Amino acid sequence: MTTTRTGDPKTTDRPAFELRAGGMHVIIQRVPGWLVALVTTVGGAAGTWWAQR
């Protein structure tokens, strides 16, 4: 499938994440900052717990 993009590439909105698997098509337009902070905090805590086991 060919995609044609028009307009200035700097102003064209592109999804932050796009997943296509079979008939499923998931698009995330913008990842909120609080979600990034939560994932990194949980990841750091899990890594610390795993290293000290």
Side-chain angles (χ1 to χ4, degrees):
M1 181 165 87
T2 304
T3 302
T4 303
R5 298 185 190 272
T6 59
D8 185 10
K10 294 179 184 175
T11 60
T12 304
D13 290 338
R14 296 184 66 190
F17 179 77
E18 184 173 358
L19 173 67
R20 293 182 184 198
M24 183 176 69
H25 190 191
V26 177
I27 297 175
I28 298 175
Q29 291 292 339
R30 187 179 66 87
V31 180
W34 64 266
L35 183 59
V36 174
L38 179 66
V39 168
T40 55
T41 301
V42 169
T48 301
W49 173 79
W50 181 263
Q52 293 182 359
R53 296 187 339 140

PDB file of all heavy atoms in Angstrom, residues 33-49:
ATOM      1  N   GLY A  33       3.025  12.866  29.026  1.00  0.00           N
ATOM      2  CA  GLY A  33       4.240  12.889  29.837  1.00  0.00           C
ATOM      3  C   GLY A  33       4.099  12.132  31.142  1.00  0.00           C
ATOM      4  O   GLY A  33       5.049  11.475  31.585  1.00  0.00           O
ATOM      5  N   TRP A  34       2.925  12.185  31.767  1.00  0.00           N
ATOM      6  CA  TRP A  34       2.735  11.481  33.030  1.00  0.00           C
ATOM      7  C   TRP A  34       2.842   9.969  32.838  1.00  0.00           C
ATOM      8  O   TRP A  34       3.314   9.264  33.727  1.00  0.00           O
ATOM      9  CB  TRP A  34       1.405  11.840  33.692  1.00  0.00           C
ATOM     10  CG  TRP A  34       0.191  11.425  32.907  1.00  0.00           C
ATOM     11  CD1 TRP A  34      -0.510  12.180  32.025  1.00  0.00           C
ATOM     12  CD2 TRP A  34      -0.436  10.140  32.922  1.00  0.00           C
ATOM     13  NE1 TRP A  34      -1.545  11.448  31.492  1.00  0.00           N
ATOM     14  CE2 TRP A  34      -1.530  10.189  32.027  1.00  0.00           C
ATOM     15  CE3 TRP A  34      -0.198   8.956  33.610  1.00  0.00           C
ATOM     16  CZ2 TRP A  34      -2.355   9.100  31.803  1.00  0.00           C
ATOM     17  CZ3 TRP A  34      -1.037   7.877  33.382  1.00  0.00           C
ATOM     18  CH2 TRP A  34      -2.089   7.953  32.486  1.00  0.00           C
ATOM     19  N   LEU A  35       2.447   9.475  31.663  1.00  0.00           N
ATOM     20  CA  LEU A  35       2.547   8.043  31.399  1.00  0.00           C
ATOM     21  C   LEU A  35       4.002   7.622  31.217  1.00  0.00           C
ATOM     22  O   LEU A  35       4.426   6.571  31.709  1.00  0.00           O
ATOM     23  CB  LEU A  35       1.725   7.678  30.163  1.00  0.00           C
ATOM     24  CG  LEU A  35       1.678   6.212  29.788  1.00  0.00           C
ATOM     25  CD1 LEU A  35       1.110   5.370  30.930  1.00  0.00           C
ATOM     26  CD2 LEU A  35       0.864   6.013  28.526  1.00  0.00           C
ATOM     27  N   VAL A  36       4.790   8.434  30.550  1.00  0.00           N
ATOM     28  CA  VAL A  36       6.218   8.158  30.392  1.00  0.00           C
ATOM     29  C   VAL A  36       6.894   8.142  31.757  1.00  0.00           C
ATOM     30  O   VAL A  36       7.693   7.245  32.064  1.00  0.00           O
ATOM     31  CB  VAL A  36       6.882   9.194  29.464  1.00  0.00           C
ATOM     32  CG1 VAL A  36       8.380   9.004  29.414  1.00  0.00           C
ATOM     33  CG2 VAL A  36       6.282   9.124  28.075  1.00  0.00           C
ATOM     34  N   ALA A  37       6.574   9.117  32.606  1.00  0.00           N
ATOM     35  CA  ALA A  37       7.152   9.179  33.952  1.00  0.00           C
ATOM     36  C   ALA A  37       6.756   7.961  34.780  1.00  0.00           C
ATOM     37  O   ALA A  37       7.588   7.386  35.501  1.00  0.00           O
ATOM     38  CB  ALA A  37       6.709  10.461  34.652  1.00  0.00           C
ATOM     39  N   LEU A  38       5.502   7.539  34.684  1.00  0.00           N
ATOM     40  CA  LEU A  38       5.036   6.374  35.425  1.00  0.00           C
ATOM     41  C   LEU A  38       5.761   5.102  34.979  1.00  0.00           C
ATOM     42  O   LEU A  38       6.214   4.309  35.814  1.00  0.00           O
ATOM     43  CB  LEU A  38       3.527   6.208  35.244  1.00  0.00           C
ATOM     44  CG  LEU A  38       2.898   5.003  35.939  1.00  0.00           C
ATOM     45  CD1 LEU A  38       3.002   5.145  37.457  1.00  0.00           C
ATOM     46  CD2 LEU A  38       1.451   4.850  35.515  1.00  0.00           C
ATOM     47  N   VAL A  39       5.889   4.911  33.684  1.00  0.00           N
ATOM     48  CA  VAL A  39       6.553   3.714  33.162  1.00  0.00           C
ATOM     49  C   VAL A  39       8.025   3.679  33.573  1.00  0.00           C
ATOM     50  O   VAL A  39       8.540   2.631  33.981  1.00  0.00           O
ATOM     51  CB  VAL A  39       6.401   3.643  31.626  1.00  0.00           C
ATOM     52  CG1 VAL A  39       7.303   2.584  31.021  1.00  0.00           C
ATOM     53  CG2 VAL A  39       4.948   3.386  31.260  1.00  0.00           C
ATOM     54  N   THR A  40       8.714   4.811  33.506  1.00  0.00           N
ATOM     55  CA  THR A  40      10.126   4.827  33.900  1.00  0.00           C
ATOM     56  C   THR A  40      10.293   4.614  35.402  1.00  0.00           C
ATOM     57  O   THR A  40      11.228   3.941  35.835  1.00  0.00           O
ATOM     58  CB  THR A  40      10.814   6.136  33.471  1.00  0.00           C
ATOM     59  OG1 THR A  40      10.092   7.246  34.001  1.00  0.00           O
ATOM     60  CG2 THR A  40      10.888   6.246  31.969  1.00  0.00           C
ATOM     61  N   THR A  41       9.397   5.163  36.207  1.00  0.00           N
ATOM     62  CA  THR A  41       9.466   4.969  37.657  1.00  0.00           C
ATOM     63  C   THR A  41       9.235   3.503  38.019  1.00  0.00           C
ATOM     64  O   THR A  41       9.988   2.921  38.813  1.00  0.00           O
ATOM     65  CB  THR A  41       8.431   5.850  38.375  1.00  0.00           C
ATOM     66  OG1 THR A  41       8.703   7.217  38.053  1.00  0.00           O
ATOM     67  CG2 THR A  41       8.479   5.661  39.871  1.00  0.00           C
ATOM     68  N   VAL A  42       8.208   2.906  37.444  1.00  0.00           N
ATOM     69  CA  VAL A  42       7.921   1.496  37.719  1.00  0.00           C
ATOM     70  C   VAL A  42       9.060   0.614  37.201  1.00  0.00           C
ATOM     71  O   VAL A  42       9.469  -0.343  37.873  1.00  0.00           O
ATOM     72  CB  VAL A  42       6.566   1.092  37.096  1.00  0.00           C
ATOM     73  CG1 VAL A  42       6.358  -0.414  37.125  1.00  0.00           C
ATOM     74  CG2 VAL A  42       5.435   1.799  37.815  1.00  0.00           C
ATOM     75  N   GLY A  43       9.590   0.934  36.052  1.00  0.00           N
ATOM     76  CA  GLY A  43      10.711   0.163  35.505  1.00  0.00           C
ATOM     77  C   GLY A  43      11.946   0.247  36.380  1.00  0.00           C
ATOM     78  O   GLY A  43      12.639  -0.750  36.615  1.00  0.00           O
ATOM     79  N   GLY A  44      12.242   1.430  36.899  1.00  0.00           N
ATOM     80  CA  GLY A  44      13.387   1.591  37.794  1.00  0.00           C
ATOM     81  C   GLY A  44      13.197   0.851  39.098  1.00  0.00           C
ATOM     82  O   GLY A  44      14.125   0.210  39.613  1.00  0.00           O
ATOM     83  N   ALA A  45      11.990   0.908  39.657  1.00  0.00           N
ATOM     84  CA  ALA A  45      11.709   0.187  40.895  1.00  0.00           C
ATOM     85  C   ALA A  45      11.809  -1.320  40.685  1.00  0.00           C
ATOM     86  O   ALA A  45      12.362  -2.039  41.516  1.00  0.00           O
ATOM     87  CB  ALA A  45      10.321   0.564  41.413  1.00  0.00           C
ATOM     88  N   ALA A  46      11.276  -1.806  39.571  1.00  0.00           N
ATOM     89  CA  ALA A  46      11.347  -3.237  39.277  1.00  0.00           C
ATOM     90  C   ALA A  46      12.792  -3.679  39.054  1.00  0.00           C
ATOM     91  O   ALA A  46      13.201  -4.754  39.511  1.00  0.00           O
ATOM     92  CB  ALA A  46      10.499  -3.564  38.051  1.00  0.00           C
ATOM     93  N   GLY A  47      13.579  -2.859  38.380  1.00  0.00           N
ATOM     94  CA  GLY A  47      14.995  -3.180  38.167  1.00  0.00           C
ATOM     95  C   GLY A  47      15.766  -3.229  39.470  1.00  0.00           C
ATOM     96  O   GLY A  47      16.619  -4.100  39.671  1.00  0.00           O
ATOM     97  N   THR A  48      15.484  -2.302  40.363  1.00  0.00           N
ATOM     98  CA  THR A  48      16.147  -2.291  41.670  1.00  0.00           C
ATOM     99  C   THR A  48      15.750  -3.514  42.478  1.00  0.00           C
ATOM    100  O   THR A  48      16.606  -4.167  43.089  1.00  0.00           O
ATOM    101  CB  THR A  48      15.758  -1.008  42.441  1.00  0.00           C
ATOM    102  OG1 THR A  48      16.149   0.125  41.659  1.00  0.00           O
ATOM    103  CG2 THR A  48      16.445  -0.949  43.787  1.00  0.00           C
ATOM    104  N   TRP A  49      14.478  -3.844  42.470  1.00  0.00           N
ATOM    105  CA  TRP A  49      14.009  -5.026  43.190  1.00  0.00           C
ATOM    106  C   TRP A  49      14.673  -6.291  42.626  1.00  0.00           C
ATOM    107  O   TRP A  49      15.129  -7.143  43.374  1.00  0.00           O
ATOM    108  CB  TRP A  49      12.491  -5.138  43.083  1.00  0.00           C
ATOM    109  CG  TRP A  49      11.948  -6.404  43.648  1.00  0.00           C
ATOM    110  CD1 TRP A  49      11.736  -6.694  44.951  1.00  0.00           C
ATOM    111  CD2 TRP A  49      11.574  -7.568  42.907  1.00  0.00           C
ATOM    112  NE1 TRP A  49      11.247  -7.952  45.072  1.00  0.00           N
ATOM    113  CE2 TRP A  49      11.128  -8.541  43.844  1.00  0.00           C
ATOM    114  CE3 TRP A  49      11.564  -7.898  41.565  1.00  0.00           C
ATOM    115  CZ2 TRP A  49      10.693  -9.790  43.457  1.00  0.00           C
ATOM    116  CZ3 TRP A  49      11.127  -9.144  41.175  1.00  0.00           C
ATOM    117  CH2 TRP A  49      10.706 -10.079  42.126  1.00  0.00           C
TER     118      TRP A  49
END
